Amino acid sequence: MDIYLMQHGEAVAADVDPHRPLAQAGRRNARTVAQRAADSGLVLDSIVHSGKLRAAQTAAILAEALGCRQVVERPGLAPGDPVEPVAAWLLRATGPVAVVGHLPFLDRLASELVVGDPHARIVAFRNAGLVRLVPGPDGRCSVSWVLHPEVC
């Protein structure tokens, strides 16, 4: 069972729209990364997101590209939320799942999953970036690959 972490695409500024939907570039970059993941054969059981509009829109773009029907809002994925409960839940998941969220939450979650220290800064996320983590028998994950819009 693999874990995928995706930062939402670039959003419009809060002074333009306080709901911060995806900007046109954010939509384009999320589609680019999602299509590259689909072309590689990625299949997900589910996609969870924070419920913030930019994360929900990014999750919908990923789901459409991958044909994933289960896209749900999950509490505990806000930028400042603790990562340990989500890490424990992900390690118990029975199929491949993606988390679409925000910084600094995703930075801390990846570090918790890989080395058990949420402050280690294991992966540098970018808007619309997708990271594949593979759990090992020791309960820690390894970084398998990272997709950024610039390299797709």
Side-chain angles (χ1 to χ4, degrees), residues 131-146:
V131 175
R132 178 183 182 209
L133 301 177
V134 178
D138 62 352
R140 295 285 171 233
C141 295
S142 59
V143 178
S144 176
W145 49 252
V146 178

Side-chain angles (χ1 to χ4, degrees), residues 1-6 30 32-47 61-69 95-100 129-134 144-145 147:
M1 175 283 313
D2 296 337
I3 298 167
Y4 298 85
L5 305 179
M6 186 173 196
T32 298
V33 169
Q35 190 56 56
R36 178 68 183 261
D39 292 346
S40 75
L42 176 58
V43 175
L44 295 173
D45 284 355
S46 63
I47 300 171
I61 290 168
L62 182 63
E64 181 180 354
L66 300 178
C68 181
R69 297 180 192 265
V97 61
V99 175
V100 179
L130 180 66
V131 175
R132 178 183 182 209
L133 301 177
V134 178
S144 176
W145 49 252
L147 283 178

Side-chain angles (χ1 to χ4, degrees), residues 28-94:
R28 182 178 59 250
N29 288 341
R31 281 190 197 103
T32 298
V33 169
Q35 190 56 56
R36 178 68 183 261
D39 292 346
S40 75
L42 176 58
V43 175
L44 295 173
D45 284 355
S46 63
I47 300 171
V48 298
H49 62 83
S50 68
K52 292 184 182 288
L53 183 56
R54 57 197 176 274
Q57 290 174 325
T58 302
I61 290 168
L62 182 63
E64 181 180 354
L66 300 178
C68 181
R69 297 180 192 265
Q70 185 159 338
V71 181
V72 295
E73 178 181 339
R74 181 179 171 88
L77 303 179
D81 284 345
V83 298
E84 293 81 2
V86 176
W89 169 74
L90 287 168
L91 291 171
R92 290 191 310 269
T94 58

Side-chain angles (χ1 to χ4, degrees), residues 3 5 83-84 87 90-91 103-125 131 133 139-143:
I3 298 167
L5 305 179
V83 298
E84 293 81 2
L90 287 168
L91 291 171
L103 297 181
F105 182 83
L106 290 174
D107 279 340
R108 292 184 293 114
L109 179 60
S111 296
E112 176 67 25
L113 288 165
V114 174
V115 296
D117 177 359
H119 305 291
R121 297 259 327 158
I122 296 299
V123 177
F125 282 88
V131 175
L133 301 177
R140 295 285 171 233
C141 295
S142 59
V143 178

